[in-house]
Amino acid sequence: MTTKWLYRFDEIDEVQQSVDGDWSQVLGLLGGKGANLGDMTRQGIPVPPGFTVTTAACNAYSDADGVMPAGLWNQMVLAIRELENQTGKRFGDPSQPLLVACRSGARFSMPGMMDTVLDIGLNDEVVKGMTAATKDEHFVLDSYRRLIQMFGAVVLGVADEAFETILRAKRQLRHVETDADLSASDLQDVISSFKAVVARQGLAPFPTDPFDQLRMATEAVFDSWRGKRAHDYRVAAHIPHDLGTAVNIVSMVFGNMGTNSATGVAMSRNATTGEARLEGDYLLNAQGEDVVAGIRATKPIEQLNDDMPEVAAQFAEIAKNLEIHHRDMQDMEFTVEQGKLWILQTRAGKRTAQAAVRIAVDQANEGLITKEEAVLRVSPDQIDFFLHPQFSAADLEASEPLAFGLNVSPGAAVGVAAFDADLAERWANEGKTVVLVRPETKPDDVHGMLAAAGILTSSGGRTSHAALVARQFGKPAVVGAAELEIDMVARSFTVGSHTVHEGEWISVDGTTGRVYDGKIETSAPDLENPWLTTLLGWADDFRTLEIRANADDPVEAARARSYGATGIGLCRTEHMFFDPKRLPIVQKMIVAVTAAERREAVEALLPYQRDDFVGLFRAMAGHPVIIRLLDPPLHEFLPSFDELKGQEFDLQLGLVNARDIAGIDRLVDELTIVRTMLERVDALRETNPMLGLRGVRLGLRIPELIRMQTRAITEAAIRVKQEGIEVRPEIMVPLVTFATEMEAARALIEGEMATVFEEQGDDLAIPIGTMIEVPRAALAAGQIAKHADFFSFGTNDLTQTTLAISRDDAEASFLIGYVTDEIVETNPFHSIDRDGVGRLMKMAVSDGRAEQEDLAIGICGEHGGEPASIALCQKLGLDYVSCSAFRVPVARLAAAHAALQPQAKESSK
Amino acid sequence: MTTKWLYRFDEIDEVQQSVDGDWSQVLGLLGGKGANLGDMTRQGIPVPPGFTVTTAACNAYSDADGVMPAGLWNQMVLAIRELENQTGKRFGDPSQPLLVACRSGARFSMPGMMDTVLDIGLNDEVVKGMTAATKDEHFVLDSYRRLIQMFGAVVLGVADEAFETILRAKRQLRHVETDADLSASDLQDVISSFKAVVARQGLAPFPTDPFDQLRMATEAVFDSWRGKRAHDYRVAAHIPHDLGTAVNIVSMVFGNMGTNSATGVAMSRNATTGEARLEGDYLLNAQGEDVVAGIRATKPIEQLNDDMPEVAAQFAEIAKNLEIHHRDMQDMEFTVEQGKLWILQTRAGKRTAQAAVRIAVDQANEGLITKEEAVLRVSPDQIDFFLHPQFSAADLEASEPLAFGLNVSPGAAVGVAAFDADLAERWANEGKTVVLVRPETKPDDVHGMLAAAGILTSSGGRTSHAALVARQFGKPAVVGAAELEIDMVARSFTVGSHTVHEGEWISVDGTTGRVYDGKIETSAPDLENPWLTTLLGWADDFRTLEIRANADDPVEAARARSYGATGIGLCRTEHMFFDPKRLPIVQKMIVAVTAAERREAVEALLPYQRDDFVGLFRAMAGHPVIIRLLDPPLHEFLPSFDELKGQEFDLQLGLVNARDIAGIDRLVDELTIVRTMLERVDALRETNPMLGLRGVRLGLRIPELIRMQTRAITEAAIRVKQEGIEVRPEIMVPLVTFATEMEAARALIEGEMATVFEEQGDDLAIPIGTMIEVPRAALAAGQIAKHADFFSFGTNDLTQTTLAISRDDAEASFLIGYVTDEIVETNPFHSIDRDGVGRLMKMAVSDGRAEQEDLAIGICGEHGGEPASIALCQKLGLDYVSCSAFRVPVARLAAAHAALQPQAKESSK
């Protein structure tokens, strides 16, 4: 039996049967495009007839170093004859010419990498006949010009620049902008020149015989598989080199053969809103390019009902069937040639986040897909759309960004620039919408950040203070926009030659990291969207990871609950310390000289802390609340050294100029105060605060702090319990490095709890656990698990220490460059570094659970809201992820994805 | 058969046979002391007769809640009768009284934890008889007084304070200092009072019957095993509670029974020098305590030949035999009672480091022990003695330390205090011996540190700059002496009320961390000591780890070679950058604005670097030299931010006061320069420089640096090779975190090497490897090994990052406290943290070698010279350790220990 090297589109069943129905083998043999055309043909959808030369033919051709395998050309000639019979046209016949396209089509899409030749079959004779038939000399000549150009470049090796030079010269001569404006006679000239160029520079002259054209084009497509461009692409995309490409020979159809012809594109559902009705555009008597080019005003697809009612009905039916067949919204190209509808292509349609959610839910409700599929159809990142205001795509296109930074917290913000937190707050109180612009932010700035609609900084990285707080509170933010030169004296910032003054409008896009001058319109967030609610509800049914939120106060806790969090995975008590009422007490505690002074300050903090927790426990009734004991180094609560040095300098300068005794006395007093503070701050300064005195190290050094916080938690829990509310507090010890630290901290905590229980005559269970945020903690997790009721991975710090990369410095200084240069696959502060941090986590989970089988383990770093990291947590067997409230809906969906397709997110290693 | 509850010392063979010769079971049954007395008896050594009540008896007594097991007392009475027969004395017989001691003796020594009662057998009658016999009423009465006091306290539960009160009152009455000055009649009074106190406060009156005394004392020793003091000790020392104690009943002998009696102590070899001759002291007609108390002038043991020639000969013979028997130098107590020699105790003698080395070598040469044993007899830390000058023990005892700090670099230094590096250098050039005193040191200070005899700082930890440099150059150093208040304006430091001014003498003991006022004499180092040379030679034969040194220049390299290093494991190229001639070029490179400026500066450094390497390669002919590419962050080469701020401030203040135009112009110019530098320094400032832009990160950002260093190394290597010298350079990339970094750096290095080979028309092999000093590098070692020819663990940084502890901050702020509070077993910067860092190292070795079977792996952190860490490296299968030149001899011995007893250094986990 001779090998069958090609299949007509209508032979698709035969192909599939020959491989026992295995569609993936069909794809392998016919390529993606060929299989798809065959599949549509089999469904009775009117596809222009044609056939597919198999990948096996391509491989045989390659193996024989560019010689067609025996039988192939004969089969192609026979297949053309059948095409002639099917279409009633003839190859090279000027009166009824059959034109075909020769298109590459590999198993995996390699856009732009391989070659295509259209309009094969044209020559001087055929052109004349077609011009007579179409009455459109310009179109026919332009098609011919294109064939020679494409064929010359692809098949005959002429540099495309040679053709473009000729076209450019002609346009200049005629003073026109585009080739479409050239006259038919101009095109005749161009065609002559093209032929001459090919004759002079090509491997051979342009062949006039359509069969020569077909054979040479087919061989050129085969050759392009082995071309450097395609080879490099396959290396990058991990596509094997031995697949080969198929070649599709498709008869050409034309939508510009009179008013009973048309061409258009349409989606089976609305790609913007997701509404379940056809959406698209078409043109009567036009070619496909005209619809895209926007030269003529297109008509909405609804009007096709009036223009061509039968075709419209047929198309609607086909669209519906294609959607059912592919079980997804379809993006289709069609042409009507003299009243006859042809479908040229169908594929899954691109859609907005909003449409993606609605379509997935509608299709599941229609029974077209399962709920699992609906959940998997929406990517977790698309949920962001619903959470934040967004700039409209159209407005963005019309605007030139002023600067670029890191897109650390998504959403759009428009407001007047305010250069300090106090002013931002004052203006916000006055009803203005404000964007806070700072070189960087500090805990002091939080009130201004909360008052602002968005945040913009010129330095800092993805996990800088500004980025963390912005995400925490869902404020759109762009940080590290290094082009901004902020002048705090002039109250303005400059990018290049452009200056924005305080009070002027700017727009900040936290989704893309772009900064714009002036106001850009925004759309409102849409978290109540009913389709979204439904989808997330389904996601909750499928996921096995619990989703908790990082929240520090009752308002945030309530928000987290409303977004679907079922617990607080991280309450950072230090945020409570920055409250303006408390900060002076905290500072008093830090600068205390005697133990009694320190104790007094610590005790003054107790009622505040207790009230914080009472509110939190009420808001989280029935749900776990993990409270982390004080974590940051003490100097974070004091003014900065540089700031104090500046004050000292100003006061000294003041003294030099002072003339009256009273003034001097006052300055000297102030100087003394500043210098005392300076001394204390200097003593607490650390070369590497990240690796310094903080977390449990600080707690063991100032045990009063651990006791006070334990007391506040325990007293609050008992009070709320006695209100009849279910309370589930847990205490978390930060920065544990040695099991002995955990043991010592636990003893302190349990001792204080026992005292409070005794005093209150009541008790409740309060598990005590630890952060795993230092590599050694992960390495010694088995020992630590002896003293801990739960683990929570602090992957921000764990990433910093495991990679020896400081988040405060590194992102701007080299990490972003590493991402660009592909030293790292993704920013490890964005998505967990699997090979390093992930490996430590795996060890910690396994060693921890070996010691304590049912050890509860979660994650509370920024990664807890990032889909790929969530997939890793699922794989590692974690119990929960905890992220900022605004990431909770994203996490719910990502967790469902992780549960439904645990392997899909795997690294390709 | 009734249980045998006790054994006479001369029944030792019977005991050992009963347990099939197993000496450890003998130790278990008789305790350490009992077994030792039996062992001496068996050798025919004259031991005072006696017997041992077994630990089994103690356990039976405990199990029965304090009732002696059946048969025990009968056996004890019979044993006393035999003692009477052996000694010719009788229990309770005034004319020939037998006195015995009742001593506890557990399997493991528990010094001071358990009870002993001496002189059992004394009562009023016996005292009278003994007084008549000894003619020494004071001695007999004092013995009696002691018996009542000991018995009262140990057996009858009287608080010792009651006895001491009586003695104190009597001394005050008589206006004497010691009990020895009380008259016999005073002692009679004291005895009466003691009896009265016992009668009033004791569980029972003082028993006059010697058998009652014996029984009660034995039971009291049994009870003391279960006492709180002993229990706590066993918990701390990990001694099981069910071992029980034996009780040794030994007949008392007296060296004060006339001029044919004597008592003394002696070592079988000289404990200070190790010389192979008896060394000791004795007194004629004296009791043991008198020798120790120093009331009478003792005689050197040599004189015994004159006083008692036969006894002396007998003792010398016994000493020799005991040494042979125990295969070690012995420390013996002896008594001569009326011409008869008794050996009371023998044990391994304590010795100085010098003696330890000589004795071990001599004994091996004598064939007494093997060379392996000789090597194991000397602890690696003892080698330090030979490497540095030392203070004499006597002088130290006479001096009160002024302050304490961290003993970071051993040895003694005496010099005048100099408060800055320039002055230290100037004074040293003038011939003064100087101790450099600084709050902390910086690279700028190195010339002063080199000029100084020792270094003292008030801040910084075990791996601070001062500590690292001091160890590197073998300079004695004490750092972090926090009590020192250094006043840089007054040029003095104060501790409490004591002030030391610049130019005054101080003494610094880097071995103990103590600082003294004034001059203390020192002894010279002794590395040429022939016994040491022999011992280290043997060590080299046994060890399997190669020992390399960290050295940055030819002088250090030569020193390392002379100390026995067979390669350079770490040459830090940055040290070459701090040279005053080069620093301006380095700074120019850093502040360069254009690429051309930068390239020019980098190229200006090339000849310097090349010359450095030429010298190094010549010094290390035939041995490997691992050169690490530039590691530290750039800001280390610039003035500090605070310093520049201070300059800015001064200049601004100057401007305020300036009156003449020229002065103002000059100040403005200076201010501009300072501000430009300030801006650059500020841009390079990092919150956590440890986790910042340095190592390979810097190299990939400034590839010119990698290229220049590679070129310098390669050109130097080829030049030295062409001189006919074998050159073995290796290039090491620092701070690799991702395999891709190593891949990129390797490509740069190989590219430049190829260029140089081409230019020079010559080539040689230069392996390219990496530091493993970031947790992620250890975790991804398998991937990194694909691009690395060798690994070198940088355990300083690996410890900092794995434990999230900054060496610059943490030691002073909490780590020392952690050691004290036993949160950590040892300072992890001193000895490798096994459970954390050690586990990472193990993974890296195993994954690295899985990828590349013969991957060379070493260590070049400070730990490379620390014995326990060296043992870990041996266990992990490393190829070499590299440490500062001064640690090389220590490392050679430690590596031999690790090879000879790999298990002995294991953690007890």
Side-chain angles (χ1 to χ4, degrees), chain A residues 642 649 685 697 701 740-741 779 804 813 818 823 839, chain B residues 642 649 685 697 701 740-741 779 804 813 818 823 839:
Chain A
D642 290 355
F649 175 73
R685 274 213 291 181
R697 300 164 184 178
R701 206 174 149 100
T740 40
E741 291 174 317
L779 292 160
S813 85
Y818 269 18
I823 296 280
R839 189 172 182 194
Chain B
D642 290 356
F649 175 75
R685 275 213 290 181
R697 299 164 184 178
R701 207 175 149 98
T740 41
E741 291 174 317
L779 292 160
S813 85
Y818 269 20
I823 296 279
R839 190 172 181 193

mmCIF file of all heavy atoms in Angstrom, chain A residues 642 649 685 697 701 740-741 779 804 813 818 823 839, chain B residues 642 649 685 697 701 740-741 779 804 813 818 823 839:
data_model
loop_
_atom_site.group_PDB
_atom_site.id
_atom_site.type_symbol
_atom_site.label_atom_id
_atom_site.label_comp_id
_atom_site.label_asym_id
_atom_site.label_seq_id
_atom_site.Cartn_x
_atom_site.Cartn_y
_atom_site.Cartn_z
ATOM 1 N N ASP A 642 18.772 59.594 60.739
ATOM 2 C CA ASP A 642 19.057 60.702 59.828
ATOM 3 C C ASP A 642 18.189 61.905 60.145
ATOM 4 O O ASP A 642 18.648 63.050 60.119
ATOM 5 C CB ASP A 642 18.837 60.267 58.372
ATOM 6 C CG ASP A 642 19.897 59.277 57.909
ATOM 7 O OD1 ASP A 642 20.842 59.020 58.686
ATOM 8 O OD2 ASP A 642 19.770 58.760 56.794
ATOM 9 N N PHE A 649 21.260 69.246 63.717
ATOM 10 C CA PHE A 649 21.969 70.216 62.904
ATOM 11 C C PHE A 649 21.233 71.561 62.899
ATOM 12 O O PHE A 649 21.827 72.613 63.133
ATOM 13 C CB PHE A 649 22.099 69.685 61.478
ATOM 14 C CG PHE A 649 22.710 70.659 60.526
ATOM 15 C CD1 PHE A 649 24.068 70.938 60.591
ATOM 16 C CD2 PHE A 649 21.950 71.306 59.572
ATOM 17 C CE1 PHE A 649 24.646 71.844 59.725
ATOM 18 C CE2 PHE A 649 22.515 72.216 58.712
ATOM 19 C CZ PHE A 649 23.863 72.492 58.779
ATOM 20 N N ARG A 685 20.566 51.201 66.498
ATOM 21 C CA ARG A 685 20.815 51.057 65.060
ATOM 22 C C ARG A 685 21.462 49.720 64.783
ATOM 23 O O ARG A 685 22.329 49.273 65.525
ATOM 24 C CB ARG A 685 21.759 52.162 64.562
ATOM 25 C CG ARG A 685 21.018 53.412 64.193
ATOM 26 C CD ARG A 685 21.707 54.133 63.046
ATOM 27 N NE ARG A 685 22.989 54.705 63.440
ATOM 28 C CZ ARG A 685 23.756 55.392 62.585
ATOM 29 N NH1 ARG A 685 23.372 55.550 61.334
ATOM 30 N NH2 ARG A 685 24.901 55.893 62.995
ATOM 31 N N ARG A 697 13.461 37.062 69.721
ATOM 32 C CA ARG A 697 14.708 37.496 70.347
ATOM 33 C C ARG A 697 14.446 38.688 71.255
ATOM 34 O O ARG A 697 14.976 38.785 72.356
ATOM 35 C CB ARG A 697 15.710 37.911 69.260
ATOM 36 C CG ARG A 697 16.038 36.778 68.321
ATOM 37 C CD ARG A 697 16.702 37.257 67.045
ATOM 38 N NE ARG A 697 16.900 36.123 66.143
ATOM 39 C CZ ARG A 697 17.423 36.206 64.942
ATOM 40 N NH1 ARG A 697 17.800 37.393 64.466
ATOM 41 N NH2 ARG A 697 17.562 35.133 64.197
ATOM 42 N N ARG A 701 14.134 39.000 75.505
ATOM 43 C CA ARG A 701 14.941 40.017 76.163
ATOM 44 C C ARG A 701 14.069 40.940 77.003
ATOM 45 O O ARG A 701 14.512 41.462 78.020
ATOM 46 C CB ARG A 701 15.662 40.828 75.092
ATOM 47 C CG ARG A 701 16.932 41.463 75.567
ATOM 48 C CD ARG A 701 17.588 42.101 74.354
ATOM 49 N NE ARG A 701 18.328 43.270 74.750
ATOM 50 C CZ ARG A 701 19.646 43.264 74.917
ATOM 51 N NH1 ARG A 701 20.315 42.167 74.741
ATOM 52 N NH2 ARG A 701 20.275 44.362 75.253
ATOM 53 N N THR A 740 14.713 25.890 71.246
ATOM 54 C CA THR A 740 14.780 26.365 72.629
ATOM 55 C C THR A 740 14.127 27.736 72.809
ATOM 56 O O THR A 740 13.591 28.034 73.876
ATOM 57 C CB THR A 740 16.259 26.451 73.048
ATOM 58 O OG1 THR A 740 17.026 26.965 71.958
ATOM 59 C CG2 THR A 740 16.788 25.074 73.429
ATOM 60 N N GLU A 741 14.180 28.560 71.765
ATOM 61 C CA GLU A 741 13.494 29.859 71.849
ATOM 62 C C GLU A 741 11.994 29.646 71.988
ATOM 63 O O GLU A 741 11.325 30.298 72.790
ATOM 64 C CB GLU A 741 13.741 30.678 70.578
ATOM 65 C CG GLU A 741 15.150 31.180 70.397
ATOM 66 C CD GLU A 741 15.323 31.860 69.029
ATOM 67 O OE1 GLU A 741 14.825 31.323 68.024
ATOM 68 O OE2 GLU A 741 15.963 32.909 68.980
ATOM 69 N N LEU A 779 14.767 24.017 58.843
ATOM 70 C CA LEU A 779 15.695 22.888 58.948
ATOM 71 C C LEU A 779 15.532 22.148 60.273
ATOM 72 O O LEU A 779 15.817 20.967 60.373
ATOM 73 C CB LEU A 779 17.135 23.396 58.805
ATOM 74 C CG LEU A 779 17.502 23.931 57.402
ATOM 75 C CD1 LEU A 779 18.724 24.827 57.464
ATOM 76 C CD2 LEU A 779 17.737 22.785 56.431
ATOM 77 N N ALA A 804 19.173 35.418 50.644
ATOM 78 C CA ALA A 804 20.087 36.512 51.014
ATOM 79 C C ALA A 804 19.811 37.739 50.166
ATOM 80 O O ALA A 804 20.722 38.374 49.654
ATOM 81 C CB ALA A 804 21.545 36.081 50.920
ATOM 82 N N SER A 813 17.716 47.361 43.121
ATOM 83 C CA SER A 813 19.131 47.369 42.756
ATOM 84 C C SER A 813 19.507 46.247 41.790
ATOM 85 O O SER A 813 20.363 46.428 40.956
ATOM 86 C CB SER A 813 20.023 47.360 43.996
ATOM 87 O OG SER A 813 20.234 46.069 44.476
ATOM 88 N N TYR A 818 17.364 40.877 37.222
ATOM 89 C CA TYR A 818 17.456 39.416 37.162
ATOM 90 C C TYR A 818 16.238 38.829 36.449
ATOM 91 O O TYR A 818 16.353 37.830 35.734
ATOM 92 C CB TYR A 818 17.551 38.840 38.568
ATOM 93 C CG TYR A 818 18.973 38.671 39.079
ATOM 94 C CD1 TYR A 818 20.037 39.346 38.484
ATOM 95 C CD2 TYR A 818 19.251 37.822 40.136
ATOM 96 C CE1 TYR A 818 21.327 39.195 38.948
ATOM 97 C CE2 TYR A 818 20.542 37.654 40.609
ATOM 98 C CZ TYR A 818 21.580 38.344 40.009
ATOM 99 O OH TYR A 818 22.857 38.170 40.465
ATOM 100 N N ILE A 823 17.658 35.506 34.889
ATOM 101 C CA ILE A 823 18.441 34.823 35.920
ATOM 102 C C ILE A 823 17.440 34.122 36.856
ATOM 103 O O ILE A 823 17.683 33.020 37.331
ATOM 104 C CB ILE A 823 19.313 35.827 36.711
ATOM 105 C CG1 ILE A 823 20.355 36.485 35.801
ATOM 106 C CG2 ILE A 823 19.966 35.157 37.917
ATOM 107 C CD1 ILE A 823 21.586 35.676 35.512
ATOM 108 N N ARG A 839 11.674 24.125 48.774
ATOM 109 C CA ARG A 839 12.297 22.907 49.301
ATOM 110 C C ARG A 839 12.372 22.960 50.827
ATOM 111 O O ARG A 839 12.135 21.954 51.504
ATOM 112 C CB ARG A 839 13.698 22.761 48.698
ATOM 113 C CG ARG A 839 14.330 21.435 49.023
ATOM 114 C CD ARG A 839 15.624 21.208 48.266
ATOM 115 N NE ARG A 839 16.162 19.894 48.590
ATOM 116 C CZ ARG A 839 17.397 19.499 48.301
ATOM 117 N NH1 ARG A 839 18.210 20.313 47.649
ATOM 118 N NH2 ARG A 839 17.817 18.307 48.641
ATOM 119 N N ASP B 642 27.584 58.651 57.680
ATOM 120 C CA ASP B 642 27.597 59.474 58.885
ATOM 121 C C ASP B 642 28.796 60.407 58.896
ATOM 122 O O ASP B 642 28.690 61.579 59.268
ATOM 123 C CB ASP B 642 27.614 58.588 60.142
ATOM 124 C CG ASP B 642 26.283 57.875 60.344
ATOM 125 O OD1 ASP B 642 25.352 58.146 59.558
ATOM 126 O OD2 ASP B 642 26.185 57.051 61.270
ATOM 127 N N PHE B 649 28.162 69.012 57.810
ATOM 128 C CA PHE B 649 27.734 69.863 58.916
ATOM 129 C C PHE B 649 28.830 70.869 59.277
ATOM 130 O O PHE B 649 28.583 72.072 59.387
ATOM 131 C CB PHE B 649 27.395 68.994 60.124
ATOM 132 C CG PHE B 649 27.056 69.771 61.356
ATOM 133 C CD1 PHE B 649 25.832 70.392 61.462
ATOM 134 C CD2 PHE B 649 27.968 69.878 62.385
ATOM 135 C CE1 PHE B 649 25.525 71.118 62.599
ATOM 136 C CE2 PHE B 649 27.659 70.602 63.526
ATOM 137 C CZ PHE B 649 26.431 71.230 63.632
ATOM 138 N N ARG B 685 23.656 53.273 49.815
ATOM 139 C CA ARG B 685 23.306 52.800 51.159
ATOM 140 C C ARG B 685 22.262 51.704 51.063
ATOM 141 O O ARG B 685 21.344 51.773 50.261
ATOM 142 C CB ARG B 685 22.713 53.941 52.005
ATOM 143 C CG ARG B 685 23.762 54.767 52.684
ATOM 144 C CD ARG B 685 23.269 55.273 54.024
ATOM 145 N NE ARG B 685 22.230 56.286 53.881
ATOM 146 C CZ ARG B 685 21.676 56.887 54.924
ATOM 147 N NH1 ARG B 685 22.032 56.566 56.154
ATOM 148 N NH2 ARG B 685 20.749 57.804 54.739
ATOM 149 N N ARG B 697 26.296 39.244 42.280
ATOM 150 C CA ARG B 697 25.274 40.206 41.855
ATOM 151 C C ARG B 697 25.933 41.466 41.318
ATOM 152 O O ARG B 697 25.502 42.042 40.317
ATOM 153 C CB ARG B 697 24.395 40.562 43.057
ATOM 154 C CG ARG B 697 23.680 39.364 43.630
ATOM 155 C CD ARG B 697 23.139 39.625 45.028
ATOM 156 N NE ARG B 697 22.552 38.399 45.571
ATOM 157 C CZ ARG B 697 22.037 38.290 46.775
ATOM 158 N NH1 ARG B 697 22.036 39.327 47.580
ATOM 159 N NH2 ARG B 697 21.538 37.140 47.171
ATOM 160 N N ARG B 701 26.480 42.927 37.347
ATOM 161 C CA ARG B 701 26.056 44.288 37.052
ATOM 162 C C ARG B 701 27.217 45.100 36.466
ATOM 163 O O ARG B 701 27.009 46.008 35.674
ATOM 164 C CB ARG B 701 25.571 44.939 38.344
ATOM 165 C CG ARG B 701 24.553 46.014 38.141
ATOM 166 C CD ARG B 701 24.106 46.451 39.514
ATOM 167 N NE ARG B 701 23.750 47.839 39.519
ATOM 168 C CZ ARG B 701 22.510 48.268 39.415
ATOM 169 N NH1 ARG B 701 21.530 47.416 39.285
ATOM 170 N NH2 ARG B 701 22.243 49.550 39.464
ATOM 171 N N THR B 740 21.763 29.964 37.594
ATOM 172 C CA THR B 740 21.888 30.825 36.416
ATOM 173 C C THR B 740 22.942 31.918 36.621
ATOM 174 O O THR B 740 23.584 32.344 35.669
ATOM 175 C CB THR B 740 20.527 31.468 36.095
ATOM 176 O OG1 THR B 740 19.909 31.850 37.341
ATOM 177 C CG2 THR B 740 19.631 30.496 35.384
ATOM 178 N N GLU B 741 23.100 32.387 37.858
ATOM 179 C CA GLU B 741 24.152 33.374 38.131
ATOM 180 C C GLU B 741 25.519 32.762 37.851
ATOM 181 O O GLU B 741 26.402 33.379 37.256
ATOM 182 C CB GLU B 741 24.116 33.820 39.600
ATOM 183 C CG GLU B 741 22.914 34.647 39.990
ATOM 184 C CD GLU B 741 22.886 34.907 41.491
ATOM 185 O OE1 GLU B 741 23.147 33.969 42.269
ATOM 186 O OE2 GLU B 741 22.597 36.037 41.892
ATOM 187 N N LEU B 779 20.599 24.631 48.888
ATOM 188 C CA LEU B 779 19.380 23.925 48.504
ATOM 189 C C LEU B 779 19.369 23.598 47.010
ATOM 190 O O LEU B 779 18.742 22.629 46.594
ATOM 191 C CB LEU B 779 18.154 24.774 48.861
ATOM 192 C CG LEU B 779 17.910 24.957 50.373
ATOM 193 C CD1 LEU B 779 17.021 26.167 50.641
ATOM 194 C CD2 LEU B 779 17.284 23.695 50.967
ATOM 195 N N ALA B 804 19.476 33.880 60.278
ATOM 196 C CA ALA B 804 18.968 35.259 60.283
ATOM 197 C C ALA B 804 19.566 36.038 61.444
ATOM 198 O O ALA B 804 18.865 36.731 62.177
ATOM 199 C CB ALA B 804 17.438 35.285 60.322
ATOM 200 N N SER B 813 24.132 42.073 70.906
ATOM 201 C CA SER B 813 22.769 42.399 71.332
ATOM 202 C C SER B 813 22.035 41.205 71.935
ATOM 203 O O SER B 813 21.238 41.382 72.826
ATOM 204 C CB SER B 813 21.987 43.035 70.187
ATOM 205 O OG SER B 813 21.406 42.078 69.347
ATOM 206 N N TYR B 818 22.242 34.342 74.587
ATOM 207 C CA TYR B 818 21.701 33.030 74.231
ATOM 208 C C TYR B 818 22.646 31.913 74.675
ATOM 209 O O TYR B 818 22.200 30.844 75.056
ATOM 210 C CB TYR B 818 21.493 32.954 72.723
ATOM 211 C CG TYR B 818 20.120 33.376 72.259
ATOM 212 C CD1 TYR B 818 19.292 34.160 73.066
ATOM 213 C CD2 TYR B 818 19.634 33.000 71.020
ATOM 214 C CE1 TYR B 818 18.038 34.555 72.633
ATOM 215 C CE2 TYR B 818 18.379 33.380 70.574
ATOM 216 C CZ TYR B 818 17.594 34.151 71.391
ATOM 217 O OH TYR B 818 16.342 34.522 70.960
ATOM 218 N N ILE B 823 20.210 28.878 75.270
ATOM 219 C CA ILE B 823 19.305 28.794 74.109
ATOM 220 C C ILE B 823 20.077 28.143 72.959
ATOM 221 O O ILE B 823 19.529 27.367 72.188
ATOM 222 C CB ILE B 823 18.811 30.205 73.692
ATOM 223 C CG1 ILE B 823 17.974 30.840 74.810
ATOM 224 C CG2 ILE B 823 18.041 30.162 72.377
ATOM 225 C CD1 ILE B 823 16.549 30.414 74.889
ATOM 226 N N ARG B 839 23.104 20.823 58.390
ATOM 227 C CA ARG B 839 22.166 20.073 57.550
ATOM 228 C C ARG B 839 22.176 20.581 56.112
ATOM 229 O O ARG B 839 22.131 19.798 55.154
ATOM 230 C CB ARG B 839 20.748 20.190 58.147
ATOM 231 C CG ARG B 839 19.769 19.260 57.492
ATOM 232 C CD ARG B 839 18.423 19.232 58.197
ATOM 233 N NE ARG B 839 17.536 18.305 57.524
ATOM 234 C CZ ARG B 839 16.228 18.245 57.738
ATOM 235 N NH1 ARG B 839 15.668 19.025 58.641
ATOM 236 N NH2 ARG B 839 15.475 17.403 57.068
#
